[in-house]
Amino acid sequence: MKLLIYGIDGGDLEIMKTFEMPFVHKFIKENSDIKLTEDLFNRGWVEILTGKEGKDTRSFYMSPVLDGSHRFSTKFAMKELESDSEVVPLWKLAERKGVKYCIMNVPTTTPVPKTINGIVIGSLGGGLNKIDGIPEALVSDKKSRRFLEEKNYIVDIRIPNDDIAETEELFRQLNEMETIRTDCFIELCKKNNTEFGFLGNRGTTIVQYLSRSAIESYATLKRMRKILQGSCEESWLYQQLEDHYTALDDCIRRLYDELKPDHFIITADHNIVPHKYRASVAPFLLKYGWLHKNKSKYVLRQIKALIMKTGIRLQVAKVTHKLAPSAMDSLQEYDWNKSVAFGSNYIAGIYINDKRRFGGPVDSEADRKKLITEIRHKFNDIPSKERCGITAVSYRDLHKNGKFSDFLPDIIFEGSEGIFFDDMGEKFVWLNKNYGLVPKELFKVKHAAFAGDKGKNPICLISKQTEMFVHESDRRNLTLVYKIADRILAHYFPDHKM
């Protein structure tokens, strides 16, 4: 194999250094660690797959729908870019050069594209969070789909999870999922004489979102050399973590030993940081009169809170998403005719409620810019401790030349890693009550970002011989992984014509 990319969703170099991972630790010492800084509004996997940032592909983790309402969505799939001649995904690069390839389990690839020289096996992600079995849309050819079914391939396991009772059983199933996936990938690559492979790991990110607080305490204890078997309440979890990272190390070793890539990259879409706080922009905006409640619909907030607790949220969402944009807005608790700024769940930033994008009261560009300045200054004047040291900065205007810049917030909060923004908050920032002991009973886990959240420094390890394909002028974000892949394929397969 000429090139192998192993992508670990949430892959974090510092976490991997904490655990016993002999192959990975040896690889780190003998090869190169590329320091990357990722914009957390962008979907990192799409940057790797296309070499382009979200402003040019609309690949954001969460963004407004811009359908006349103030509704937001997490949905995105690579299929949306099929007609964009400026976007050449990695599988198209391989197709153009006649390269045999296998791309497995990279988020946003479902529904998978039509292929000629290779295999694409999709993943969840991009707003697609649950499927049954192995649907046709997940695999590019029937033969590979039958092969996966015979191998008992597991597409994905996520949290919260009503099908698994115990946290230890979750760990067991996650390890099994990634072991089977690795086995399937190796066998498919060998059978098809694959020259370019890209395998995604989704299990480790679930472990880290759930156990980031325990990983932090375990790392501290290991540094202090105070680990004693059975000596603390979380000893059972520490053992589960060691077992998981041992299994991960073994998967990576087997990929490297059996596929023997000339060039090997271990990367991620982001890393995972401790999630100690939650925040909401609504209380701040309400306090200074930039956001106004629709008092006649105050009861809707109580209904929404009840929905969150009772677990019927998805069923309600399926109904409300079918409503007209104006009807959707009427169900929200804010008066959009008076509100000039607002935020959203998952968004570490603020949108100006301008007329052009949202039908709001801010009509002129001058008024929009004036509001941005006022909001930034008022927020940054708050004592640093009260705002957890984060800073409000102008954002959308910095990317105004992007094709999809309208989807970006006008203001973002720098330094907000590990602070999950939740539109249900009664104050700007509060402690994440889940950051602490991980429960043995999985039903107690009600949120995907339980004790961890996205960080901006994804792992990027490359083999020594791959360094020649990194240029000094390259931006140090995830578009670099695409550029390296493009250069390697061009180096080995320069003259192929379709």
Side-chain angles (χ1 to χ4, degrees), residues 176-316:
E176 179 185 31
M177 176 178 72
E178 293 308 333
T179 298
I180 292 173
R181 197 184 324 277
T182 302
D183 292 341
C184 290
F185 184 79
I186 290 171
E187 191 168 340
L188 282 172
C189 288
K190 286 183 174 181
K191 281 182 177 179
N192 294 282
N193 298 314
T194 300
E195 297 157 307
F196 164 46
F198 187 174
L199 174 61
N201 169 315
R202 274 281 312 159
T204 295
T205 197
I206 301 303
V207 167
Q208 293 174 174
Y209 274 124
L210 174 66
S211 310
R212 192 62 181 87
S213 52
I215 291 170
E216 197 78 356
S217 62
Y218 187 53
T220 300
L221 287 169
K222 287 190 86 169
R223 286 194 296 269
M224 297 171 64
R225 299 183 179 181
K226 289 186 178 181
I227 293 291
L228 298 174
Q229 289 294 327
S231 64
C232 66
E233 196 171 346
E234 286 195 292
S235 292
W236 68 274
L237 181 59
Y238 296 157
Q239 187 59 57
Q240 292 295 325
L241 289 167
E242 282 287 6
D243 290 347
H244 175 79
Y245 286 96
T246 296
L248 174 62
D249 188 67
D250 187 59
C251 285
I252 298 172
R253 178 193 58 77
R254 288 193 297 115
L255 286 166
Y256 189 80
D257 287 348
E258 298 196 36
L259 297 179
K260 297 178 172 53
D262 292 342
H263 300 277
F264 189 33
I265 301 173
I266 302 173
T267 191
D269 54 338
H270 53 78
N271 66 317
I272 300 286
V273 297
H275 169 206
K276 296 181 179 180
Y277 299 96
R278 300 176 78 84
S280 175
V281 299
F284 165 70
L285 295 174
L286 286 164
K287 179 179 179 180
Y288 293 102
W290 291 307
L291 183 65
H292 291 266
K293 282 192 175 183
N294 189 336
K295 294 181 181 178
S296 65
K297 294 184 176 64
Y298 177 74
V299 69
L300 289 171
R301 188 174 190 85
Q302 279 65 45
I303 294 173
K304 186 175 182 181
L306 179 63
I307 288 170
M308 295 286 286
K309 289 180 180 179
T310 57
I312 60 172
R313 186 180 184 187
L314 289 177
Q315 288 82 347
V316 172

Side-chain angles (χ1 to χ4, degrees), residues 464-482:
K464 273 289 181 186
Q465 57 269 38
T466 308
E467 287 183 357
M468 63 180 286
F469 296 101
V470 179
H471 299 169
E472 190 174 339
S473 60
D474 290 333
R475 289 196 64 188
R476 292 310 194 259
N477 61 13
L478 286 168
T479 61
L480 175 62
V481 179
Y482 178 93

Side-chain angles (χ1 to χ4, degrees), residues 16 23 43 53-54 84 106 113 157 159 173 227 249 257 280 316 347 360 404 443-444 450 461:
M16 292 170 77
F23 177 82
R43 289 184 180 272
E53 297 176 32
D84 191 333
V106 180
I157 299 169
I159 54 172
Q173 291 193 27
I227 293 291
D249 188 67
D257 287 348
S280 175
V316 172
I347 299 286
F404 297 97
F443 73 86
K444 294 180 180 179
F450 189 76
L461 302 174

Side-chain angles (χ1 to χ4, degrees), residues 5-9 11 36 45 48 198 265-269 458-461 478 481:
I5 301 174
Y6 186 64
I8 306 171
D9 200 310
L36 300 183
W45 294 123
I48 295 172
F198 187 174
I265 301 173
I266 302 173
T267 191
D269 54 338
I459 188 174
C460 187
L461 302 174
L478 286 168
V481 179

